[in-house]
Amino acid sequence: MHDVVEKEPEREQEKEAEDEVEAKVIEEPEEGLVVVPPSVPEHLREAFWAQKRAVLQALQDPPDVEGVDVGGRGKALAQLSELLAGSAVRDEGNSCLILGPKGSGKTRVIEEALRELKPRPIIVRLSGHAQINDRLAMKEIARQVSSQLGTSWGQDEDEEMINVETNDFAALPPPAHLPALISSLPSLPRPTIIVMDAFDLFTGHARQALLYCLLDTVQSIRVGEGHKGLAVIGVTSRLDTLTLLEKRVKSRFSHRTIRVGTPATLEGFTGLAKACLTVSPPATSKEWNKIWLASVQRFFESKNVVDWFAETFSIVRSVPLLRNALMSKVVMLKPEAPWLSDDLPRPESHFAQLRNLSYPTAVLLIAAAHRLTSGQAIFTFAALESDFKEYVRIVQSAPVQLAGGSVGMAFENLVEAQIFESTTAASSNFDKRYNKYRCAIEREEIRLAIDRTGQTNLKKWFSRSL
C-alpha cells in the first residue's frame, strides 16, 4: 500500500514532463515548418495589401497553370496564331469562330495571339452588344481604322467626317455604303484583323449584310495580287451559332472552329485556383511569401474546400463561378483576419431560378424547347403565344387566361430573369411582340423544372420535344 502511494507523485511528475514537451512542440516548431500567425505583423502589413491586390488581379485574368493546358487554351492559341499569321504575314484571307463557355479565356487567347503579330496589323474590335445594326458597325470600323492610320478613312469627301473625340453618331453612313467600305479593307496599307465579340448577335442584323460582305471579301482575297490580308474572328459561347447563318453567308465562312473550354480534370480546376492564389506580387519579402503560401496550403487541405471543388467541378465546371467564389473571400481579407476561410458558397445551376413555376411560365418554356428541337433557336413572343394557344386548345382543362394578360406577364418574368435573352435591340418603332429572343437555359434544366410542377399534361407535351 505504501509503495502505491509513493508511485502516484512519480506519475504526476512524468505527466507534467510530457505536457512540457508537448508545449515546446507547439511553441517551437520544427526547422522548416512555417507558423501562420493569427494576424499580420506590423512590418508585413504592406506586403499583405500587395498580395491582396495581386490575387484579385489574377482572379480577373487567371494566369497559366504550369504543366496543365487549361481548357485547351495552349492548343487554341497555337491554332489561332497560325491563322492570324497567314493574314498578317502572308496576306491571306481567313475566318474562324472562337467557341467556348463564358469565362473560359476566349478573349485572352485572342489578345495573346494578337500580341505575337509582327509587324502590327490594324485591329478592329466590334461587339454585338454595342453595334446593334450594320450602320453602327460601319461607323465603328471607320472610326477605329482612321484612328490607327492617323487619317480619315471610310467617308465620302462631301460627307461630314466622323468626330473621333466626341464619338458623334449624328452622321451615320448609309447601308448602301457597306459593300464598298468592306471591300476596300484589303487595300489598306497594313493587314486588318476584325474581332467580333458576341458574334451570334450579328446574325440578327438585317439580311446579315455585314457578315456577308466581310466573309465575301475574305473569300475573294488571293495571295500575290497586291492586297493586304484580312481575318475575321468571331467570338461566341453559343454552340448553335453556325446554324443561325443564312445559306449565302454560311457558304462563304471557312467553318474553322477553335474551341476553348473549361479545365477537363479536377486537378486542372484546382490548379487554376492555386495559380491565382499563389501569385507573387513584385518586391515582396521572403518572410511574407512563406507565410502566405503556408496559409494557402492549409486552405486547400481543408475538407470543406476539397469537397467544394469536387462538387463544383461535377455540377457546373464553371470558371466564372470559381473566380467569383474566391474573389468574395479575398476581398474580405484584412490584417486582423488575413487568411482564407473554407466556407465557400455552394454551387447552384440556373435551375434555382425555375422553382415554383406558374402554369403559363411552364408552357412558354416547353414551347421554347419545341422551337429549339425544330431548329428555331430564335423566337418571338408572338410565336410562343401561338404555341401557347394551340396547347390550350388541345388541353381544355389548362388553368390559364388567354385574354387576362397572364401569358404576357409570364413572358416578361422570364425576360427579367434573363432566362429569355433578347438577340436584337429594342425599338420604339417596332412591335415588341416580334422582338427576337433565345432561351438561355438547357433543355435538361427545363425538364427538371417541368417535373417539379407534377403536371402530367405538361410532362407529356414536353416529351414531344425530345
Side-chain angles (χ1 to χ4, degrees):
M1 186 70 177
H2 182 69
D3 294 339
V4 174
V5 174
E6 287 182 351
K7 288 181 179 179
E8 287 182 356
E10 294 178 1
R11 291 177 180 173
E12 291 179 359
Q13 292 176 0
E14 291 176 359
K15 187 176 181 181
E16 290 177 359
E18 291 176 358
D19 291 343
E20 289 179 2
V21 173
E22 291 179 1
K24 288 181 180 179
V25 171
I26 297 174
E27 295 172 0
E28 301 175 7
E30 297 179 2
E31 186 176 355
L33 183 64
V34 179
V35 176
V36 179
S39 61
V40 179
E42 191 65 33
H43 68 286
L44 294 177
R45 295 281 173 106
E46 185 176 346
F48 164 78
W49 293 115
Q51 183 71 59
K52 183 175 179 179
R53 289 192 296 269
V55 172
L56 289 175
Q57 184 176 358
L59 287 172
Q60 291 187 356
D61 186 13
D64 293 326
V65 182
E66 186 176 356
V68 179
D69 186 8
V70 178
R73 285 209 304 245
K75 181 179 179 181
L77 177 59
Q79 293 175 338
L80 183 60
S81 297
E82 176 62 24
L83 183 143
L84 293 180
S87 295
V89 179
R90 299 186 293 273
D91 294 329
E92 299 172 353
N94 289 300
S95 62
C96 76
L97 189 66
I98 308 294
L99 181 63
K102 296 179 180 179
S104 58
K106 300 185 295 294
T107 301
R108 180 177 181 178
V109 168
I110 293 173
E111 295 304 321
E112 289 182 4
L114 291 175
R115 281 197 296 268
E116 295 175 358
L117 295 177
K118 302 289 187 219
R120 185 74 171 172
I122 298 170
I123 300 174
V124 178
R125 293 179 172 86
L126 303 177
S127 172
H129 299 289
Q131 285 75 52
I132 56 178
N133 57 51
D134 288 350
R135 297 185 70 193
L136 291 177
M138 291 167 61
K139 181 179 177 65
E140 186 61 18
I141 292 173
R143 186 191 71 81
Q144 293 189 33
V145 171
S146 299
S147 176
Q148 295 179 59
L149 291 179
T151 181
S152 61
W153 177 85
Q155 293 279 356
D156 290 339
E157 294 182 358
D158 52 347
E159 276 188 358
E160 181 183 355
M161 291 297 181
I162 295 175
N163 191 333
V164 177
E165 298 296 330
T166 61
N167 200 25
D168 182 20
F169 283 87
L172 291 174
H177 288 194
L178 181 60
L181 181 77
I182 300 302
S183 62
S184 64
L185 287 173
S187 63
L188 293 174
R190 286 148 53 194
T192 305
I193 310 294
I194 298 181
V195 181
M196 307 180 74
D197 191 27
F199 183 81
D200 53 288
L201 296 183
F202 286 99
T203 64
H205 290 195
R207 299 182 301 280
Q208 298 184 0
L210 175 65
L211 295 179
Y212 175 79
C213 291
L214 282 172
L215 296 176
D216 185 63
T217 302
V218 165
Q219 194 180 59
S220 66
I221 293 178
R222 297 290 182 271
V223 178
E225 294 184 356
H227 298 299
K228 294 298 181 179
L230 173 63
V232 176
I233 311 299
V235 186
T236 184
S237 57
R238 288 195 60 177
L239 295 173
D240 60 341
T241 299
L242 293 182
T243 65
L244 304 178
L245 297 177
E246 294 181 0
K247 185 176 180 179
R248 62 174 187 149
V249 179
K250 191 180 297 184
S251 65
R252 283 159 176 77
F253 180 59
S254 66
H255 291 268
R256 280 179 288 198
T257 301
I258 299 175
R259 299 180 182 274
V260 181
T262 54
T265 64
L266 178 58
E267 290 73 17
F269 195 66
T270 307
L272 182 63
K274 289 181 179 179
C276 293
L277 294 178
T278 57
V279 63
S280 179
T284 186
S285 67
K286 293 183 179 179
E287 180 185 1
W288 168 257
N289 283 341
K290 291 180 179 179
I291 295 175
W292 176 253
L293 291 177
S295 72
V296 173
Q297 182 179 356
R298 184 178 65 181
F299 171 75
F300 280 101
E301 290 174 350
S302 168
K303 185 179 184 304
N304 288 342
V305 173
V306 172
D307 292 343
W308 185 90
F309 272 91
E311 185 179 351
T312 303
F313 182 78
S314 63
I315 294 177
V316 289
R317 201 178 299 186
S318 170
V319 174
L321 188 148
L322 170 64
R323 291 160 51 190
N324 292 338
L326 294 177
M327 198 173 295
S328 67
K329 293 299 177 184
V330 175
V331 295
M332 300 301 294
L333 299 182
K334 53 186 178 181
E336 296 77 18
W339 318 122
L340 296 166
S341 60
D342 61 359
D343 54 336
L344 295 169
R346 310 314 296 178
E348 291 184 352
S349 68
H350 287 296
F351 184 59
Q353 302 176 5
L354 304 178
R355 299 183 183 277
N356 303 320
L357 289 179
S358 65
Y359 203 94
T361 303
V363 175
L364 288 174
L365 285 172
I366 296 175
H370 278 286
R371 294 266 168 182
L372 183 61
T373 302
S374 61
Q376 303 175 38
I378 305 298
F379 52 81
T380 64
F381 170 71
L384 293 192
E385 185 183 35
S386 175
D387 295 343
F388 188 101
K389 291 179 178 180
E390 178 64 18
Y391 171 75
V392 173
R393 185 186 65 80
I394 298 173
V395 184
Q396 297 294 335
S397 59
V400 295
Q401 300 175 9
L402 289 179
S406 62
V407 182
M409 291 176 61
F411 189 89
E412 290 178 2
N413 290 337
L414 289 170
V415 173
E416 185 177 355
Q418 297 183 348
I419 295 174
F420 285 172
E421 295 180 343
S422 177
T423 62
T424 56
S427 173
S428 58
N429 300 325
F430 196 72
D431 190 344
K432 293 182 179 180
R433 290 163 46 85
Y434 298 98
N435 283 342
K436 295 181 179 180
Y437 296 86
R438 71 180 183 92
C439 188
I441 59 177
E442 301 296 332
R443 184 183 289 105
E444 178 63 16
E445 292 184 282
I446 297 177
R447 184 189 67 78
L448 293 174
I450 299 305
D451 287 345
R452 286 178 61 88
T453 64
Q455 296 285 343
T456 304
N457 290 334
L458 291 177
K459 293 179 182 179
K460 289 182 178 179
W461 194 41
F462 177 79
S463 65
R464 291 173 48 198
S465 68
L466 299 177

